[in-house]
Amino acid sequence: MNTSTGPGATRRRIILDCDPGRDDAIAIATALASSAEIELAGITAVAGNVPLEITWRNARFLCELCGYPDIPVHAGADRPLVREPVTAVRHHGESGLEGVEVEMPAGPIETRRAVGFIADTLRASRDQEVTLVAVGPLTNLALVVREHPDLMPKVREIVVMGGASRAGGNVTPAAEFNVYADPHAAAIVFDCGRPLTVHGLDVTHQVLAAPRHAERLAAGGGEPARRLAPLLHPAAGSRGPRFGPERSPIHDPCTIAWLLRPELFATESVPVTVETEGVHTMGSTVVDWWGVTGREPNARWVTEADGEAVLDLVIERIARLRNP
Ligand code: RIB
Ligand code: CA
């Protein structure tokens, strides 16, 4: 579906910034299971779905569950840049991983060094070597852009799960959660000038997990797949009329599937701005589909996905994981 030059076949060195988070967990597992195509240099946690202390713990726990205890995991921002914090506990549970038996990680308690870790990794890299994948509020990435503008040439691409245009919002009618949770950070990242690929609700709502997908994952792999399979069922607080009682969009894994198989997606290059004010519109991503602003495109907006093929890819990859 995607004719433009997507990520392609070269092995990607990425940092995954996330707020696990049920769908974040599927994205983490898919990335860990794809080591031939993706070098996961590290994971940085941000406050979002649940508070930072839990997102950090979950990221560390998931690496250990998936058999990769040595992946660097650093905690980052515990609150947005300007607005008051919001969470999405209803959709992820108090643990952030509703449906999964979570253990306290054995790994070390990292200091809150996410921004420093990202900056150090960029500084040690060649130009355009590192891909930043962000599937939570963009606070950590915005701090990197603001504090280390000299390191931006080291960034090959920023791949974001966030925003919504034609699909409408999921927190307000106008706003998707990740952008709504820190609109000022999103505005900084969207304006940073690096190649930006945006997986908003327009595309993630085309990737709807059903019970058959969870059953396939539970039956088709090792212990990690079996224990993560419940994440493909909707959380209790997510069931509703929009997708039916048993189906749920798996947002965050779309970013990893994009890196692995860009041909499963279609994109359009568009100008996008982030609304940081507005009683009814704060956190909206305003896409200029018809060029009426005269602004240059600053984002590759993902418009379509082969949802079933994305789910097949995610399931096949996570089924590879073993916890020795
Ligand atoms: O709107 C969906 C996004 O918000 C996903 O990243 C999900 O994990 C939540 O953070
Ligand atoms: Ca997330």
Side-chain angles (χ1 to χ4, degrees):
M1 294 173 76
N2 180 41
T3 54
S4 63
T5 50
T10 56
R11 189 168 188 239
R12 279 289 183 128
R13 188 152 192 258
I14 78 167
I15 292 174
L16 178 58
D17 188 78
C18 55
D19 61 335
R22 304 179 87 242
D23 56 327
D24 305 70
I26 298 293
I28 291 169
T30 306
L32 288 170
S34 304
S35 54
E37 299 99 327
I38 292 174
E39 176 197 350
L40 183 52
I43 293 177
T44 50
V46 65
N49 288 318
V50 290
L52 176 68
E53 287 65 33
I54 302 175
T55 61
W56 170 85
R57 179 205 66 186
N58 287 345
R60 165 62 71 204
F61 158 71
L62 289 161
C63 288
E64 294 179 3
L65 172 65
C66 294
Y68 290 86
D70 299 330
I71 296 285
V73 177
H74 290 277
D78 61 0
R79 56 160 300 114
L81 295 183
V82 177
R83 60 155 300 153
E84 78 288 353
V86 290
T87 65
V89 169
R90 184 164 69 94
H91 299 286
H92 298 270
E94 293 294 336
S95 73
L97 295 175
E98 182 183 299
V100 173
E101 183 189 341
V102 180
E103 293 136 9
M104 275 310 290
I109 302 293
E110 305 279 0
T111 57
R112 291 189 177 184
R113 287 197 64 258
V115 173
F117 172 76
I118 297 171
D120 292 347
T121 304
L122 293 177
R123 193 174 294 111
S125 303
R126 297 186 306 280
D127 279 5
Q128 301 186 48
E129 181 181 356
V130 179
T131 296
L132 302 179
V133 180
V135 296
L138 291 166
T139 318
N140 290 338
L141 266 63
L143 291 169
V144 172
V145 173
R146 192 162 68 180
E147 295 171 16
H148 303 282
D150 57 308
L151 296 177
M152 285 299 103
K154 308 283 190 163
V155 176
R156 172 175 173 177
E157 179 182 16
I158 300 174
V159 184
V160 167
M161 189 280 134
S165 179
R166 292 167 170 150
N170 61 0
V171 183
T172 72
E176 176 277 328
F177 176 79
N178 287 338
V179 177
Y180 181 76
D182 196 341
H184 300 84
I188 290 170
V189 173
F190 275 54
D191 287 345
C192 78
R194 297 311 297 152
L196 176 68
T197 301
V198 182
H199 291 256
L201 301 181
D202 296 15
V203 67
T204 65
H205 284 178
Q206 300 174 38
V207 188
L208 295 175
R212 70 178 184 278
H213 298 111
E215 288 149 16
R216 270 175 51 200
L217 184 57
E223 184 199 359
R226 182 179 53 74
R227 290 182 62 181
L228 295 175
L231 297 175
L232 292 183
H233 289 292
S238 296
R239 295 188 178 94
R242 189 162 189 179
F243 307 110
E246 296 190 316
R247 306 206 66 175
S248 63
I250 56 157
H251 308 283
D252 297 341
C254 289
T255 60
I256 305 302
W258 158 256
L259 295 178
L260 295 172
R261 293 192 59 196
E263 70 276 12
L264 299 182
F265 299 88
T267 64
E268 279 190 51
S269 290
V270 289
V272 187
T273 49
V274 177
E275 177 58 75
T276 57
E277 311 299 330
V279 172
H280 305 290
T281 56
M282 183 181 70
S284 59
T285 44
V286 183
V287 179
D288 180 8
W289 293 107
W290 303 109
V292 297
T293 64
R295 285 167 50 94
E296 283 301 308
N298 60 321
R300 182 159 49 176
W301 192 267
V302 188
T303 55
E304 290 177 61
D306 179 339
E308 204 56 36
V310 170
L311 281 156
D312 288 346
L313 174 63
V314 166
I315 291 167
E316 181 271 323
R317 291 301 168 99
I318 296 177
R320 298 180 182 180
L321 293 170
R322 293 296 182 271
N323 184 342

